[in-house]
Amino acid sequence: MEKLVIKGPTPLKGEVHINGAKNAAVAILPATLLIDGICTIENLPNISDVKISCEILEKLGAKIKWNSMNSVTIDTRHINTTTAPLDLTSKFRASYYIIGSMLSRIGEIEVGMPGGCKLGARPIDQHIKGFELLGAEVNVGNGTIHAKANKLVGTSIYMDIVSVGATINVMLASVLAEGTTTIDNAAKEPHIVDVANFLNTMGADIRGAGTDIIKINGVKKLTGNCTYSVVPDQIEAGTFMLAAVATKGDLLIKNCITKHLDSITAKILEVGGQVEDYGDSLRVYCNKRPLKANIKTLPYPGFPTDLQPQMGVVLSLADGTSIINESIWESRFQYTQELNKMGADIMAQGKTAIFQGVDHLSGAPVYSSDLRAGAALIIAGTAANGITEVYNLEHIDRGYENIEEKFRAIGANIERVSY
Ligand code: EPZ
C-alpha cells in the first residue's frame, strides 16, 4: 500500500504542463470500437482508467501498440466477442461507453455494471432510454447489462437530465444507425465536443456538439487511418489553478484551453486571486488570504462538480463564510470531514456545505474518498502547517498522471511512501 506524505506549507510556484483529459480519453478509447480500421490516439493521460480501458479493448479483440506513455495505436478490425470482461468493466464508470460502441459496431454486448467513484446514486436510465429508442433491447440484472439490437434506427431523444455519459453513449450508439438521431438537452462539456471531433475525423457526421442539440447523421462505416490528439484536461488545469490560490502561490499552467476554464477563472477573481490568460496557458497567483464566495456546481459551462472539492479547500481558508451547493452528486462532501481533521470548520449536510474560513490548516492523516477529494487533500496538505498523510491513492491514480511529481516540480515537499 502507498500513501503520500506532504510537508507544508509551501506556496506553489513555477510551470505545470497539463495532460490530455481523462473524461475524453475514457470515451475516445471505447469509441475506437466503431472503426473498422486502425487509428492512433495521442495525448492520452497515463492513468489507471486509461490502462484498464485499453485492457478491455484487447479482451474484445483489438490489437494495441503503445507508441509512448501517452500514445497508442489501436487496430479494431477483428473484434471477436460480445462479452466484455465483467471484472474490468465493473472497475470504473466509463466502461458503459463499451455498450454504445459495441451496439453500433456488432449489435450486441454484455458488460459488468459500471463502477467508479462513490458519489451517490449513479443511475444509467438515460443511457438505456436512448439505446431503447434507437431500437435496442436492454436487460439489467445479476450485476451485468446486456444490450442487443438487430438494427439501430435514428430517432429524436430528449434527455430528462443533462448527462455527460448518456449524451456520449447515445452519440456512440447512433453514429452507424440508419438515418438521423437528434439528442435534445444534451450535455455540453468540452469532452463531448472532443469525442464528436474524434468520431468526425474517423468519418462520422455529428453536428452541434457543444450545444444542447446534437444531430447525428448515421454513416455506413468509420474507416480510421487517422491520428487524433485528446483535448487538454480542463479539470487537471482547474486543480492546479485552485492549488495556486490555496497555497498563495504563482503558477503558469501550460497546455490548457483557457476558454474551458472561464467559470473557475471567474471564481478565482471573486476570491481575490489573479488570472492572466494567454490562450493556451494561464498564470494564476494569489498573495493574500482568499475572500469568501458562494458556489453552485452545474453542468458546463457552469462551475464543474469535479472541481468542487478543490474549491472547497480554498474556501476553507477564506476570510468569511462561504456556501457550496453541490447540484450534481449526492455524496461529494466526504472530503469535508477530512479537512475538518486538519482544522477546517465545515458543516456539510445533504447537498449543501457551509465553510467558516479558518486562517490556517494543520497537517493530519486523511483519507481520499474519491478522485477529486484526493486532489483536494493534496492541495490542503501543501497549504497546511506540518505533515499530512494522504491515504487511498488508488482513487487519485485513476485520474491524475504523476501527481506527486507535478506537485514536487512546483515546490511541494511531497513523497510517495510504501507502508
Ligand atoms: C461524468 O460522469 C464524469 N465521468 C464525472 O467525472 C463528472 O462528475 C460528471 O460527468 C458530471 O460532470 C466521466 O466522464 C467518466 P452524468 P457521468 O451522467 O457521465 C444523473 C471525475 O471525478 N444521471 O453527467 O456518470 C446523475 O446521477 C468524475 O472525473 C441520471 O439520473 O455523470 C447525476 O446526478 C466523477 N441518469 C447527473 O445526472 C442517467 O442516466 C449527471 O451525471 C445519467 C445521469
Side-chain angles (χ1 to χ4, degrees):
M1 305 268 267
E2 292 180 321
K3 62 181 175 183
L4 290 173
V5 180
I6 307 165
K7 192 166 173 226
T10 311
L12 295 173
K13 290 194 173 158
E15 291 183 6
V16 58
H17 178 92
I18 299 305
N19 283 104
K22 168 187 96 98
N23 288 341
V26 296
I28 287 173
L29 287 167
T32 63
L33 288 165
L34 288 165
I35 301 165
D36 192 8
I38 302 172
C39 65
T40 297
I41 316 290
E42 296 182 337
N43 202 32
L44 283 170
N46 195 276
I47 52 175
S48 63
D49 272 9
V50 160
K51 290 176 202 156
I52 299 174
S53 300
C54 288
E55 271 182 65
I56 295 174
L57 293 180
E58 280 178 323
K59 295 258 156 75
L60 291 167
K63 292 205 171 27
I64 297 196
K65 182 171 142 271
W66 285 86
N67 308 310
S68 71
M69 269 184 39
N70 303 100
S71 162
V72 288
T73 296
I74 307 179
D75 178 352
T76 42
R77 284 174 299 177
H78 306 291
I79 300 305
N80 53 24
T81 172
T82 56
T83 306
L86 302 187
D87 53 337
L88 291 180
T89 44
S90 308
K91 269 195 185 159
F92 75 127
R93 190 75 191 156
S95 58
Y96 51 38
Y97 294 135
I98 303 282
I99 309 174
S101 301
M102 287 290 281
L103 262 182
S104 218
R105 171 83 187 273
I106 309 274
E108 185 172 1
I109 186 66
E110 185 180 32
V111 300
M113 210 54 191
C117 288
K118 303 212 165 8
L119 308 172
R122 298 186 75 174
I124 55 164
D125 56 300
Q126 298 302 302
H127 303 235
I128 294 174
K129 167 177 152 174
F131 298 148
E132 288 179 341
L133 285 169
L134 287 165
E137 195 183 305
V138 185
N139 291 300
V140 182
N142 297 327
T144 67
I145 305 169
H146 180 250
K148 195 169 180 334
N150 293 329
K151 184 170 153 191
L152 295 170
V153 180
T155 184
S156 292
I157 299 167
Y158 177 83
M159 295 287 171
D160 300 324
I161 285 189
V162 178
S163 159
V164 171
T167 301
I168 293 179
N169 229 343
V170 170
M171 214 158 72
L172 294 172
S174 50
V175 162
L176 302 176
E178 187 181 294
T180 298
T181 302
T182 308
I183 307 175
D184 223 315
N185 200 24
K188 297 181 278 211
E189 270 68 4
H191 32 293
I192 292 183
V193 179
D194 206 41
V195 177
N197 286 345
F198 166 71
L199 291 167
N200 285 343
T201 307
M202 302 295 149
D205 183 358
I206 302 173
R207 297 163 192 215
T211 74
D212 45 23
I213 301 182
I214 303 179
K215 207 179 216 189
I216 304 116
N217 296 314
V219 296
K220 292 236 165 347
K221 199 172 163 154
L222 301 190
T223 46
N225 294 325
C226 286
T227 296
Y228 190 81
S229 181
V230 176
V231 71
D233 197 321
Q234 166 212 14
I235 303 300
E236 189 193 15
T239 298
F240 283 101
M241 290 170 77
L242 294 167
V245 179
T247 63
K248 300 199 190 93
D250 187 343
L251 290 179
L252 184 65
I253 295 154
K254 296 176 90 170
N255 186 41
C256 56
I257 298 176
T258 59
K259 178 81 196 129
H260 293 167
L261 295 155
D262 281 352
S263 63
I264 298 97
T265 297
K267 282 294 160 187
I268 288 179
L269 296 177
E270 194 177 322
V271 300
Q274 302 293 320
V275 181
E276 291 171 11
D277 184 339
Y278 302 110
D280 60 357
S281 65
L282 281 171
R283 178 179 171 210
V284 181
Y285 57 102
C286 184
N287 48 21
K288 55 179 187 192
R289 187 173 175 193
L291 306 171
K292 65 187 170 116
N294 296 332
I295 305 279
K296 179 169 183 169
T297 63
L298 287 169
Y300 188 82
F303 191 93
T305 172
D306 294 348
L307 287 170
Q308 185 262 104
Q310 300 88 318
M311 188 74 204
V313 178
V314 172
L315 298 183
S316 74
L317 288 163
D319 189 3
T321 303
S322 307
I323 298 176
I324 296 186
N325 183 253
E326 168 58 57
S327 78
I328 311 289
W329 300 118
E330 283 161 20
S331 309
R332 214 164 200 178
F333 284 128
Q334 296 167 69
Y335 74 92
T336 59
Q337 292 172 17
E338 305 306 299
L339 289 187
N340 284 345
K341 289 183 196 165
M342 299 176 73
D345 182 357
I346 309 165
M347 201 186 72
Q349 196 166 37
K351 288 185 162 185
T352 304
I354 301 170
F355 293 70
Q356 307 282 1
V358 294
D359 71 358
H360 70 278
L361 296 173
S362 302
V366 286
Y367 293 81
S368 137
S369 51
D370 63 77
L371 169 59
R372 308 304 172 185
L377 295 175
I378 296 176
I379 298 173
T382 310
N385 297 337
I387 294 186
T388 297
E389 294 175 334
V390 182
Y391 291 87
N392 294 351
L393 302 189
E394 65 280 7
H395 295 301
I396 304 173
D397 293 338
R398 284 191 31 231
Y400 289 92
E401 178 176 326
N402 289 338
I403 194 156
E404 73 270 24
E405 281 171 35
K406 286 194 176 184
F407 270 79
R408 205 177 300 124
I410 49 179
N413 184 336
I414 179 170
E415 293 292 338
R416 187 178 285 249
V417 174
S418 298
Y419 67 96

